[in-house]
Amino acid sequence: QVRLVESGGGLVQAGGSLVLSCVASGGTFRRNTVAWFRRAPGKERKFVARITWSGLSPYYSESVKGRFTISRDNAKNTVWLQMTSLKPEDTAVYYCAEGVPGTYDLWGQGTQVTVSS
C-alpha cells in the first residue's frame, strides 16, 4: 500500500530556507496532482501549493508565492517544496497530499517546520 512520507522539516531562523520532500513509499504516485498543506498551531489546515502530474502550471497560495517552489520527479516518486525567506508565520506542520484538487484522498503524516524570529 502506498504511503506518503514527508521529511525535511526542522527549526530555522527567519529568512532561512528549508526543502521539504514528499515520497510515495511502497509504490508510486498515481497520475494525480500532489499538493502541500500546512496547519499552524490552533488554526485550520490551509493550502500551500500544488503541482500536476506533468509538473506544469504549479499553483501557490498568495502567502507563499514568490518564496516557495514546488517541483516533482515522478521517476523518483518525490515532490519537493523549496521554502525560502521563511517567516515566523510559516511555522506549521506541513502535509503532502495526492489526488484531484479539492478531493485529496492520500495524505502523509506531516513534518514540523518552526521558524524562529
Side-chain angles (χ1 to χ4, degrees), residues 5-40:
V5 180
E6 302 95 335
S7 63
L11 174 64
V12 64
Q13 289 188 332
S17 300
L18 283 173
V19 179
L20 305 184
S21 299
C22 172
V23 175
S25 176
T28 62
F29 284 120
R30 299 165 295 177
R31 299 178 71 87
N32 283 335
T33 295
V34 174
W36 286 94
F37 291 78
R38 66 187 182 186
R39 187 193 301 271

Side-chain angles (χ1 to χ4, degrees), residues 2 4 24 28-34 53 72 74 97-100 103-106:
V2 178
L4 299 185
T28 62
F29 284 120
R30 299 165 295 177
R31 299 178 71 87
N32 283 335
T33 295
V34 174
W53 170 260
R72 70 188 296 167
N74 294 326
E98 187 193 16
V100 176
T103 59
Y104 297 102
D105 58 351
L106 185 62

